[in-house]
Amino acid sequence: MTTDTMHYPVPSALGSLDNYIQAVNRFPLLSAEEEHELATRLQRHGDLEAARKLVLSHLRLVVAIARGYLGYGLPHADLIQEGNVGLMKAVKRYDPERGVRLVSFAVHWIKAEIHEFILKNWRLVKVATTKAQRKLFFNLRSMKQGSGALGESEIQEMARTLNVSEHDVKEMEVRLYGQDVALESSSEDEDEHFAPIAYLAAPNADPTDHIERSERDHLASHGLSEALASLDPRSRHIVEARWLNEEDPATLHELAAEYGISAERVRQIEAKALQKMKAALAA
């Protein structure tokens, strides 16, 4: 059977993961000659049909690789989906003239995509960032014996095998097996479930409160000084004596006696000054 006559049925509606796995296992495997022919057509002519056949014939490989990462608690379907992305990248970059089968070349790309997906989604806080941490992350689970804490001999052996420090091994074990804690309780019974958000939230963390405080502080310092500077000396003195002297604010009659005018006139000057200051602060 040539690659042109091979049948690659793609189910339009698989319904479930089990159906998908059964479907991909029915795709025919390629011989070395068929694989070389398709890869050459893709490389030289950009033949998308050849690329499709190369991808479909290797989907079962992705399923098998993804199954090995089920211990990280992520959905099998999601792992397969990410692995398929890696497979497509491998097919695009595959060079049939190097004498290496696509299955061997694609393993690296499939695992790389799955690794990246796990690191981004397995914990809200990233557990591994450097190359050494990633290697430790994906080997710690398989190298660990039993479900208990690592013993000193295990830590030393892992550190030596993976070429990392013993401190890194201990820290990664804490990251790997530590449990995520929900910030907010899922229960309405606050006495029974005291969520961290209740005692971790900063009392002044609300952005609106922060902006209001910032504006209030600005008005109390620079804004008020600028508004007072816009007044004539008499009006400024009246406002300061009436409103800014907290210990002994002046009365209208006291200011009237000081300036030799009526208390009503002082009230008018005060009202006009306050209106002018309000306009200056709003500007």
Side-chain angles (χ1 to χ4, degrees), residues 23 28 63 68 78 109 124 147 149 155 163 210 212 244 265 267 271:
V63 171
D78 291 349
W109 291 94
L124 293 177
S147 57
I155 292 174
N163 194 28
H210 178 74
E212 289 179 353
L244 301 181
R265 179 56 182 157
R267 189 195 64 76

Side-chain angles (χ1 to χ4, degrees), residues 231-249:
L231 303 178
D232 61 83
R234 185 175 65 171
S235 298
R236 176 170 181 169
H237 175 66
I238 291 175
V239 170
E240 289 178 337
R242 290 276 291 156
W243 297 96
L244 301 181
N245 187 358
E246 296 181 359
E247 295 182 359
D248 186 22

